[in-house]
Amino acid sequence: MRRDQYNVAVARPFEKPYTKVRDKKQKAPRTTVTVGEKLLYLSSVIVCVALALVVLSKYAKVNELNVALQETNAAIEEAHKVNFKLETEKKKLADVERIRKFAESNGLELTTPKYLPSIRP
């Protein structure tokens, strides 16, 4: 049979393709997803989405806190600069020579004390 396999002039009997005969007791293979599996898939998707939402909300909260921290640090730095300027102005205004000139220009006189203050208790 093999030698005349490609010979079209040879007549061969018609053979039906092999088909498996099922018994009446055998059931057809299941091709659909059961209700339990659907519920399992749905619940796993819901859990994954919930976890993703929790992670993203925590990430957003961390970013919000970082922005607030940077704003607070900037405000603190600005307050330090203002304090430094005020301290230098205070030192300028507390200068003894400036106070003496201001007092003399307003008609005040400097009197020397008649006694020396004691540092003894």
Side-chain angles (χ1 to χ4, degrees), residues 2 16-18 24 27 32 38 40 45 55 60 62 80 87-88 96 100 105-106 109 121:
R2 202 167 218 331
K16 292 183 178 178
Y18 175 74
K24 290 184 179 179
K27 293 183 179 179
T32 61
K38 288 179 184 178
L40 180 67
V45 167
V55 168
V62 166
H80 282 301
E87 285 291 326
T88 56
V96 175
R100 182 176 289 135
S105 67
N106 288 329
E109 295 178 6

Side-chain angles (χ1 to χ4, degrees), residues 55-75:
V55 168
L56 288 176
S57 67
K58 295 291 182 183
Y59 181 72
K61 185 67 175 177
V62 166
N63 281 341
E64 182 181 328
L65 290 175
N66 281 337
V67 168
L69 182 66
Q70 289 174 354
E71 289 174 357
T72 305
N73 285 340

